[in-house]
Amino acid sequence: MHKRPTSIPVRPLFAATLALMLAACGGGGGGGNTPAPPTTGALKVTGTVATGAALGNVAVDIRCRVGSGTAQTAANGSYSVDFTSAALPCVVTAPVGAQAMHSVATVATAGTATANVTPLSEWVLVRISGGDVAGYITNIGSDAQAAATTTALAAALPILRDALVDVT
């Protein structure tokens, strides 16, 4: 009897990733261009740093609309930072070789926001920052930047979904 090789189902994996990224967009919104003032409170930011394989022992920098912190990834690439007072969005930066990769967290569920740092999350942050990731991170605390994040994510994710639709 011939056994089929075991492989990872790529299409469902990308669909699940996109669903999580879309969920991170939040929703709602509201009329007008003036964002609500940041609501601060206890916040936990967690995730995994990976480029295909998990990256252990990597310094992670988290900068939020209100608050910032650092962490070291575990051997499995996971990290977690607890803030006593912070506000979303948060940008996570992790060095990968001579470069850095990023992710953005915009929604917290039960006080926890997830930001996995991967090549796909880097693409999303480059897209929503208009190519100026450093400027985006510098201005993460501004009201305008916070409002633009949700709008830009809503525009970027369908582009990513369409680009991945034929990936198997």
Side-chain angles (χ1 to χ4, degrees), residues 14-136:
F14 281 124
T17 300
L18 287 174
L20 289 172
M21 293 176 99
L22 287 170
C25 288
N33 293 328
T34 306
T39 302
T40 59
L43 177 66
K44 179 183 229 175
V45 179
T46 66
T48 300
V49 178
T51 58
L55 299 176
N57 199 34
V58 171
V60 177
D61 180 67
I62 299 100
R63 295 185 188 250
C64 301
R65 185 173 182 193
V66 174
S68 63
T70 59
Q72 195 80 12
T73 62
N76 66 359
S78 67
Y79 71 90
S80 181
V81 176
D82 290 301
F83 295 95
T84 55
S85 181
L88 294 170
C90 296
V91 174
V92 179
T93 303
V96 178
Q99 302 293 317
M101 284 194 320
H102 307 86
S103 186
V104 62
T106 60
V107 173
T109 302
T112 300
T114 301
N116 293 317
V117 182
T118 68
L120 287 176
S121 67
E122 175 68 13
W123 180 90
V124 170
L125 192 58
V126 168
R127 183 79 183 191
I128 68 174
S129 70
D132 183 12
V133 173
Y136 180 89

